[in-house]
């Protein structure tokens, strides 16, 4: 087991950021945390990579307790934080070789590995460029390269593609898929549900410091939502009338101020029935991980 947490708690004075979570991350697995802002995802990650101590509970990372052996845990971890913290006084190549010093990597090995990693993230032609001359996507790719400099057994990525354009996101996805194929274990947090579904073998949905469900993306969608969704805009109907018209079908209904979402295994008969009833603003589509996220954590904004 790469990571194992039991009744893990983190408190900041009177605020409980992580409230008794339990999970396991297996070898060669990409495990994801999703949830709204303030759900406890990043705090959980920080306890794993020894940035903050836990308040209580049990935590094992690569077979060691981070509170007792943080230096041994850190030696085998690669960490890509949400915020870019590259050294802007150094060029791309030197950012990697200097970071290698923290792991006591011999200079010749560090230089060879740095060039290999720059090639891996498609930045080899930028090795002499200063950090402030890089695009946001290039900086994120360099952060991933830096996180791999010590050949880690576990790579931790907090929002790996935040703020990037689609081309940069897909390039990073490709690189992370390659790492999975090389049997690198990974833990990620992301607000992009398509990213979580693309990369993660299993996902934990967090809210208010607790883990609500854990499972494979497709299993969570099937168990929590079903196969399909019918969206009905409330322009020419009411929730009460929609409930009455859909009462003969096996569906779960969720309402918002502007729409209703009807979850079912096969929504085609329902769609045809509603169309026959005169509904015009309706859409049938496959269920997604975003539907799971919103159903479990709510649709209201979290400040």
């Amino acid at each position: 087991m790469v990571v194992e947490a039991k009744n893990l708690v983190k408190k900041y004075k009177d605020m409980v950021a992580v409230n008794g979570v339990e999970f396991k991350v297996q070898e060669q697995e990409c495990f994801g945390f999703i949830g709204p802002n303030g759900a406890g995802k990043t705090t959980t990650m920080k306890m794993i990579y020894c940035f903050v101590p836990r308040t209580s509970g049990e935590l094992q990372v690569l077979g060691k307790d981070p509170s007792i052996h943080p230096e041994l845990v850190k030696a085998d971890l690669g960490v890509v934080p949400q915020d870019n913290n590259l050294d802007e006084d150094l060029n791309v190549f030197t950012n990697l070789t200097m970071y290698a010093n923290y792991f006591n990597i011999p200079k010749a090995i560090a230089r060879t590995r740095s060039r290999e990693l720059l090639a891996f993230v498609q930045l080899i032609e930028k090795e002499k460029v200063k950090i402030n001359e890089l695009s946001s996507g290039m900086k994120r790719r360099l952060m991933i390269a830096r996180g791999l400099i010590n050949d880690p057994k576990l790579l931790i990525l907090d929002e790996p593609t935040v703020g990037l354009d689609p081309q940069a996101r897909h390039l990073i996805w490709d690189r992370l898929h390659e790492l999975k194929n090389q049997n690198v274990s990974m833990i990620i947090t992301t607000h992009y549900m398509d990213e979580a579904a693309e990369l993660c073998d299993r996902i934990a949905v967090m809210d208010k410091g607790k883990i609500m469900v854990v499972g494979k993306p497709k299993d969570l969608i099937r168990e929590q939502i079903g196969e399909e969704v019918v969206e009905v805009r409330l322009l020419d109907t009411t929730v009460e009338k929609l409930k009455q018209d859909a009462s003969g079908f096996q569906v779960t209904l969720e309402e918002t101020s502007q729409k209703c979402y009807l979850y079912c295994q096969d929504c085609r008969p329902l769609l045809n029935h509603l169309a026959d009833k005169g509904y015009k603003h309706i859409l049938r589509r496959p269920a997604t991980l975003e539907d799971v996220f919103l159903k479990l954590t709510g649709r209201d904004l979290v400040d």
Side-chain angles (χ1 to χ4, degrees):
M1 202 65 61
V2 175
V3 178
E4 185 168 5
K6 295 180 180 179
N7 197 27
L8 187 62
V9 174
K10 179 61 184 178
K11 295 181 180 179
Y12 295 100
K13 295 184 178 179
D14 295 331
M15 194 268 286
V16 181
V18 177
N19 190 2
V21 302
E22 299 195 3
F23 61 92
K24 295 179 180 179
V25 181
Q26 301 166 5
E27 290 185 4
Q28 304 175 11
E29 177 181 40
C30 181
F31 188 90
F33 289 101
I34 62 174
N37 291 329
K41 308 181 301 296
T42 296
T43 300
T44 301
M45 301 267 273
K46 287 180 176 179
M47 286 188 281
I48 292 171
Y49 64 78
C50 312
F51 191 79
V52 297
R54 66 185 183 270
T55 302
S56 62
E58 300 178 23
L59 180 62
Q60 291 283 311
V61 180
L62 299 170
K64 305 174 185 66
D65 187 325
S67 297
I68 300 174
H69 301 293
E71 68 289 345
L72 297 179
V73 172
K74 290 179 182 179
D76 288 326
L77 290 183
V79 179
V80 181
Q82 182 175 341
D83 297 323
N84 289 327
N85 56 1
L86 299 163
D87 192 329
E88 296 191 356
D89 293 328
L90 305 176
N91 65 28
V92 167
F93 184 74
T94 310
N95 258 274
L96 296 185
T97 56
M98 290 293 291
Y99 193 72
N101 290 335
Y102 291 110
F103 300 95
N104 297 316
I105 299 172
K107 185 176 295 185
I109 295 176
R111 293 177 66 85
T112 299
R113 190 172 295 170
S114 295
R115 288 200 169 90
E116 291 173 349
L117 289 170
L118 289 178
F120 176 67
V121 297
Q122 296 187 14
L123 287 175
I124 193 68
E125 74 284 357
K126 301 289 185 181
E127 66 174 34
K128 295 182 180 179
V129 172
K130 288 291 185 70
I131 299 304
N132 59 10
E133 298 177 40
L134 300 178
S135 68
S136 297
M138 291 176 181
K139 290 177 183 177
R140 290 309 282 171
R141 281 146 57 192
L142 182 57
M143 291 281 289
I144 291 173
R146 193 185 68 176
L148 294 168
I149 196 68
N150 60 321
D151 194 20
K153 296 178 181 177
L154 172 63
L155 181 63
I156 297 176
L157 305 110
D158 194 356
E159 299 288 344
T161 65
V162 63
L164 301 188
D165 60 41
Q167 290 89 346
R169 288 182 68 208
H170 281 271
L171 178 57
I172 288 177
W173 289 1
D174 288 344
R175 300 283 90 65
L176 295 180
H177 275 303
E178 287 186 45
L179 291 173
K180 285 179 65 177
N181 291 336
Q182 296 169 17
N183 298 326
V184 175
S185 303
M186 289 184 281
I187 302 176
I188 74 168
T189 67
T190 181
H191 283 301
Y192 300 126
M193 298 300 104
D194 58 338
E195 181 165 273
E198 172 78 17
L199 296 175
C200 296
D201 299 297
R202 289 188 303 131
I203 290 170
V205 182
M206 290 192 72
D207 192 26
K208 299 175 183 175
K210 292 181 175 291
I211 290 178
M212 306 182 73
V213 292
V214 178
K216 297 178 180 179
K218 289 184 179 180
D219 291 346
L220 293 179
I221 293 169
R222 185 176 61 253
E223 293 164 4
Q224 299 293 328
I225 302 296
E227 297 294 334
E228 296 184 328
V229 180
V230 168
E231 297 183 12
V232 181
R233 294 189 64 84
L234 300 174
L235 296 177
D236 49 11
T237 189
T238 64
V239 176
E240 290 72 21
K241 183 177 185 305
L242 178 60
K243 287 180 178 178
Q244 181 179 354
D245 289 339
S247 60
F249 297 84
Q250 190 172 357
V251 300
T252 302
L253 186 146
E254 181 185 1
E255 62 183 272
T256 69
S257 61
Q258 300 296 321
K259 285 184 181 181
C260 279
Y261 300 85
L262 297 102
Y263 307 135
C264 44
Q265 295 301 321
D266 179 3
C267 290
R268 187 181 310 156
L270 172 63
L271 185 78
N272 293 336
H273 176 72
L274 293 179
D276 291 341
K277 287 283 187 178
Y279 286 79
K280 294 181 175 62
H281 303 92
I282 54 179
L283 170 69
R284 171 183 169 229
R285 60 169 174 80
T288 67
L289 194 59
E290 187 166 307
D291 294 312
V292 176
F293 179 96
L294 292 171
K295 179 185 177 184
L296 294 178
T297 66
R299 295 178 182 270
D300 294 332
L301 290 175
V302 179
D303 296 323

